[in-house]
């Protein structure tokens, strides 16, 4: 039995790797095109969403002491001293991106820091208001915050900055951003599905269309062995295709995301994280390949098979998008749902919240589901009405 499965796997892998067109279109082009496209997008967006090189931050200050104003001007920032009555107007200007930064100091700031003893009572608090949706506002905030932080160190921590203050005045729609831990599961699911759909229909429906499936079905081997060999070999190819696309994405991220790509530094994850991620991905590929193989068995042509898997593609993307809404599930029930469990596991791993028990449940469920689909595929191979329909 094992020899028959290995024979089918060897046949499928040989057919794939000896076809230069397939290798180029499935393994090389996806990663290369993604790298070129994302790199170009990163360069274009970098020019669009970064402050000009000659940009000079303008800070509106209320009750600012002369010492802080002097330091800001020495640091190359423009300072505009305003009256307390102008606070609401300035807040509105910052929110609408017409002003960069508003700094509100206590009225008796210098007297408070002179009288404050660290650890006793409440320190003076400086409120900084900025708009994260504006590159200029964000840069002004970063520069002025660093200046105040250095000034605070010289005073032995005698005041606070933004204590219990919501300082980011970007609107929820403009400032909302997707973290990498929520984006990566979606990207992985899309890439894995693309790899599966690029090889599975050709292997099943393609052989039906060419008539070569009849030769395989009359060979002295069990239809179950044929189904297992097909699913495993297609899973290997799909995994390589997904890896190509993922590699292209990761290599292009420094240009696509700029400094924010530092959040994806590979060294922050341990060997255990990578091992668990690989197992989850491998089991997910088996689920996707087995489902697409079953759908392809019903199709008469590769084109028809590609049409039949379109609803699955939509479901796969919707499941991937679910990682963007909240943190990973903790209830074991959710890890009993194929594909959704994979997304939750990926999200937990990338967010450093990996639960080994949930991953084990996911692996068991995915393997069981893939085995079930393989049994269904074997039954379809046994059905002449399905395999020889015209």
């Amino acid at each position: 039995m094992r020899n028959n499965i290995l024979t089918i796997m060897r046949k499928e892998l040989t057919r794939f790797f000896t076809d230069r067109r397939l290798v180029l279109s499935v393994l090389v082009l996806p990663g290369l095109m993604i790298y070129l496209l994302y790199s170009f997008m990163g360069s274009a967006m970098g020019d669009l969403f970064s402050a000009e090189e000659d940009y000079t931050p303008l800070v509106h200050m209320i009750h600012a002491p002369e010492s802080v104003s002097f330091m800001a001007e020495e640091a190359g920032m423009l300072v505009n001293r305003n009256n307390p009555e102008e606070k609401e107007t300035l807040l509105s200007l910052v929110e609408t991106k017409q002003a960069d930064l508003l700094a509100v100091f206590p009225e008796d700031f210098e007297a408070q820091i002179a009288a404050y003893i660290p650890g006793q009572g409440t320190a003076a608090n400086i409120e900084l208001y900025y708009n994260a949706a504006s590159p200029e506002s964000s840069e002004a905030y970063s520069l002025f915050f660093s200046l105040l932080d250095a000034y605070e160190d010289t005073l032995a921590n005698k005041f606070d900055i933004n204590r219990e203050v919501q300082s980011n005045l970007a609107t929820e729609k403009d400032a909302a951003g997707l973290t990498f831990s929520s984006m990566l599961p979606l990207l992985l699911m899309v890439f894995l599905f693309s790899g599966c759909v690029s090889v599975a229909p050709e292997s099943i429906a393609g052989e039906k269309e060419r008539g070569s499936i009849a030769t395989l079905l009359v060979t002295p081997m069990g239809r179950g062995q044929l189904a297992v060999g097909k699913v495993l070999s297609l899973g290997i190819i799909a995994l390589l295709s997904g890896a190509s696309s993922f590699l292209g994405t990761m290599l292009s991220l420094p240009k696509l995301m700029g400094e924010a790509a530092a959040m994806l530094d590979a060294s922050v994850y341990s060997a255990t994280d990578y091992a668990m991620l690989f197992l989850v991905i491998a089991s997910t590929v088996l689920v996707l390949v087995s489902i697409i193989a079953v759908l392809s068995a019903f199709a008469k042509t590769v084109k028809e098979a590609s049409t039949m898997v379109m609803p699955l593609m939509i479901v796969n993307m919707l499941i991937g998008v679910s990682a963007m809404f909240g943190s990973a599930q903790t209830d074991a029930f959710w890890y009993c749902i194929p594909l959704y469990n994979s997304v939750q596991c990926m999200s937990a791993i990338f967010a450093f919240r990996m639960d080994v028990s949930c991953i084990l449940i996911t692996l068991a469920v995915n393997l069981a589901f893939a085995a079930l689909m393989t049994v269904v595929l074997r039954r379809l191979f046994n059905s002449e009405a399905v395999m020889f329909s015209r």
Side-chain angles (χ1 to χ4, degrees), residues 115-135:
Y116 178 69
I117 299 176
Q120 300 181 15
T122 303
N125 181 55
I126 303 173
E127 300 174 4
L128 302 182
Y129 298 91
Y130 74 108
N131 190 323
S134 167

Side-chain angles (χ1 to χ4, degrees), residues 170-367:
T171 63
E172 182 176 353
K173 179 179 179 180
D174 291 334
L178 300 176
T179 63
F180 289 120
S181 63
S182 63
M183 290 176 61
L184 286 177
L186 172 60
L187 292 175
L188 279 173
M189 294 300 290
V190 171
F191 296 152
L192 293 178
F193 183 86
S194 298
C196 294
V197 80
S198 63
V199 294
E202 173 65 27
S203 178
I204 307 295
E207 291 198 350
K208 287 182 63 178
E209 186 177 1
R210 294 187 296 269
S212 57
I213 192 71
T215 304
L216 285 175
L217 293 176
V218 299
T219 55
M221 73 168 64
R223 303 294 170 85
Q225 298 171 23
L226 176 61
V228 172
K230 287 277 189 181
V231 169
L232 292 179
S233 58
L234 294 176
I236 293 173
I237 298 171
L239 190 61
L240 292 175
S241 177
S244 171
S245 300
F246 185 66
L247 181 62
T249 301
M250 296 302 293
L251 291 177
S252 63
L253 276 178
K255 293 183 179 180
L256 179 64
M257 306 306 296
E259 295 180 358
M263 296 174 62
L264 276 178
D265 187 354
S267 63
V268 301
Y269 297 106
S270 66
T272 302
D273 293 328
Y274 285 113
M276 293 295 101
L277 181 61
F278 174 78
L279 291 176
V280 170
I281 289 175
S283 68
T284 305
V285 166
L286 290 178
V287 171
L288 290 171
V289 161
S290 62
I291 297 175
I292 296 175
V294 168
L295 294 176
S296 299
F298 285 103
K300 300 176 182 179
T301 63
V302 174
K303 183 178 180 180
E304 183 180 345
S306 299
T307 302
M308 293 177 67
V309 301
M310 288 298 292
L312 178 61
M313 180 190 70
I314 297 174
V315 171
N316 182 74
M317 291 189 65
L318 290 176
I319 292 175
V321 170
S322 67
M324 299 180 180
F325 303 97
S327 56
Q329 301 285 351
T330 56
D331 192 337
F333 165 78
W334 298 106
Y335 294 87
C336 296
I337 305 175
L339 298 183
Y340 182 79
N341 55 9
S342 299
V343 171
Q344 294 302 305
C345 284
M346 293 175 191
S347 181
I349 291 172
F350 289 130
F352 306 101
R353 297 176 181 175
M354 180 180 64
D355 187 331
V356 177
S357 63
C358 291
I359 291 180
L360 293 177
I361 293 174
T362 295
L363 296 178
V365 169
N366 285 353
L367 292 177

